[in-house]
Amino acid sequence: MWHANILLRTRQVEDIELQLADILDSNLQDSDRVKSAAAIDAPPALGKSTVVNNFGRVFHQQRIAEAGEWLDADRDVRHLPVCHVTLTGRPTIKGLHMMILGFYAHPATAGILHRAMAGRDLARAAAECIERHDTRLVIVDDLHFLNMRTRDGVEVANQLKWLANEYNATFLFAGVALRERGLVGEGHTGKDAAMAQTFRRWTVLSLDPYSLRNAHTRTEWGRLLWHLEQSLVLADARDGMLVDLSRYLFARTTGNIGSLMDLIRRGASRAIRTGRECLDRELFDDIRIDEGAETERGELEAKHKQQERTQRDRRRKKHLDQSDQSDEPERPAA
């Protein structure tokens, strides 16, 4: 259970949380002023949802510690600093409002009441919930389900902008390829004009896969593995258990944090069940993870082996050159 819930605070995550805190703290404008929103745009399985959930959890705890769990003396209105909704396929305006109302357990979501309510009434009820419960942060995950090429997608995007501008809450979006899907871009006419508003109002942050391109990126990858080592609870664990397998683990996971965590979690589970109590290459070799990582594994391993051979050849050549120079007889002074 411990290994299944390891939460790593990498440098990328710390940088994003710092930016998010700046945006949230500075969004104190009145309701008639335009407020900034934040969006995390990154490829799949890099930890977007984990980042926004953890940031929301920490902010919730901070606000509760400052203002308490209730907003009135009769304890009728609960303090809910963070609202979290996850979009599903082909979201509509009504569906968006129903998800927000569902988070607050609003009576409109019960029975057939919502069917008789007009869209503007649902929007007003959702906005009132945000204001009534003193919600300061609204997290909208899986924003990539919005299709900006459809009428519903454009209407939902416009509704999100209206909510973000109208009420005292900062919106935090998370999704895959938001720029490519037209959710963040420049435009002047038609649908593009609606999209262009986000170009100036959203601060887009990104999570990038790890790489071994240079000394800096290799150090970051090694630091990640070291921190992961410190989080493991195995009887025969040793220092360097993962760091020594740096290139191998990169080849297995292509630098994807989601793939890496799956490999480590499954390896730790097997090590405990079998009594091995240690992680090594022999154990990892027998564990399969996601198909994307497995497909690229062979190509990356071959590439790394070639790089290692090239480096060995260069070191050998350099050593031979130095030996030849030391063997040359000294020339007599002129």
Side-chain angles (χ1 to χ4, degrees):
M1 187 177 294
W2 170 265
H3 291 144
N5 293 281
I6 291 175
L7 181 63
L8 290 178
R9 287 179 51 80
T10 65
R11 182 166 296 182
Q12 279 195 85
V13 171
E14 291 176 350
D15 290 343
I16 286 179
E17 289 180 347
L18 182 62
Q19 297 285 349
L20 293 178
D22 291 340
I23 295 168
L24 195 55
D25 288 345
S26 63
N27 271 354
L28 300 176
Q29 296 92 336
D30 295 332
S31 59
D32 61 336
R33 304 287 183 91
V34 175
K35 289 186 287 294
S36 298
I40 298 180
D41 184 8
L46 288 185
K48 297 180 300 299
S49 296
T50 301
V51 170
V52 298
N53 288 341
N54 187 61
F55 182 79
R57 183 183 301 111
V58 171
F59 180 73
H60 172 93
Q61 293 168 347
Q62 290 173 345
R63 288 290 300 155
I64 293 296
E66 293 171 0
E69 294 186 11
W70 303 92
L71 297 174
D72 62 333
D74 296 329
R75 297 168 66 90
D76 288 331
V77 183
R78 183 176 289 277
H79 186 196
L80 298 174
V82 181
C83 170
H84 182 285
V85 296
T86 301
L87 298 187
T88 56
R90 296 184 179 180
T92 62
I93 288 182
K94 189 170 185 177
L96 169 66
H97 294 147
M98 288 300 295
M99 282 186 282
I100 294 175
L101 292 173
F103 176 86
Y104 292 100
H106 192 280
T109 60
I112 61 173
L113 180 60
H114 66 276
R115 298 179 186 175
M117 294 179 67
R120 62 178 178 275
D121 295 328
L122 288 173
R124 189 177 301 111
E128 286 175 354
C129 283
I130 292 173
E131 188 173 23
R132 174 181 171 83
H133 294 278
D134 193 27
T135 299
R136 299 292 181 88
L137 176 65
V138 179
I139 297 173
V140 181
D141 204 355
D142 287 345
L143 191 65
H144 49 266
F145 281 119
L146 277 187
N147 186 350
M148 296 301 288
R149 295 179 180 86
T150 66
R151 179 180 176 181
D152 284 340
V154 174
E155 288 179 348
V156 171
N158 287 333
Q159 194 72 13
L160 286 171
K161 284 180 286 189
W162 176 77
L163 286 171
N165 294 336
E166 194 72 14
Y167 294 93
N168 189 28
T170 297
F171 275 66
L172 170 56
F173 305 102
V176 176
L178 300 184
R179 290 184 178 88
E180 290 79 359
R181 294 174 184 275
L183 285 160
V184 183
E186 294 183 281
H188 302 286
T189 60
K191 294 181 181 179
D192 290 340
M195 302 174 200
Q197 295 185 46
T198 63
F199 191 71
R200 292 296 181 182
R201 297 180 184 176
W202 289 15
T203 300
V204 181
L205 308 170
S206 62
L207 284 167
D208 301 315
Y210 285 85
S211 75
L212 302 180
R213 288 191 304 268
N214 51 53
H216 174 72
T217 57
R218 289 193 291 272
T219 299
E220 287 295 313
W221 177 249
R223 183 179 289 114
L224 171 66
L225 296 179
W226 184 85
H227 282 294
L228 194 49
E229 276 183 14
Q230 309 311 305
S231 302
L232 295 175
V233 184
L234 296 171
D236 293 331
R238 62 175 180 80
D239 288 340
M241 183 173 59
L242 299 181
V243 176
D244 292 346
L245 296 176
S246 175
R247 284 188 173 274
Y248 168 79
L249 291 174
F250 186 86
R252 286 295 312 269
T253 63
T254 65
N256 186 294
I257 188 70
S259 300
L260 174 66
M261 294 307 298
D262 278 345
L263 181 61
I264 299 302
R265 280 192 290 261
R266 295 175 192 182
S269 176
R270 183 175 296 188
I272 293 171
R273 291 199 322 271
T274 60
R276 194 185 194 106
E277 293 294 341
C278 183
L279 300 179
D280 54 32
R281 179 162 182 168
E282 183 182 359
L283 183 144
F284 285 137
D285 274 339
D286 199 34
I287 294 176
R288 285 190 62 84
I289 51 176
D290 60 275
E291 193 61 21
E294 293 294 345
T295 300
E296 297 183 36
R297 174 183 177 181
E299 181 181 344
L300 270 177
E301 286 182 335
K303 180 180 178 181
H304 289 160
K305 288 179 180 177
Q306 179 60 42
Q307 289 175 344
E308 290 174 357
R309 284 195 295 268
T310 302
Q311 290 174 357
R312 284 198 302 268
D313 291 342
R314 287 175 180 172
R315 287 195 296 267
R316 186 180 299 110
K317 185 177 183 300
K318 183 178 179 180
H319 177 71
L320 291 174
D321 290 343
Q322 291 174 346
S323 298
D324 291 342
Q325 291 175 4
S326 62
D327 292 339
E328 289 181 1
E330 294 185 6
R331 295 182 178 181

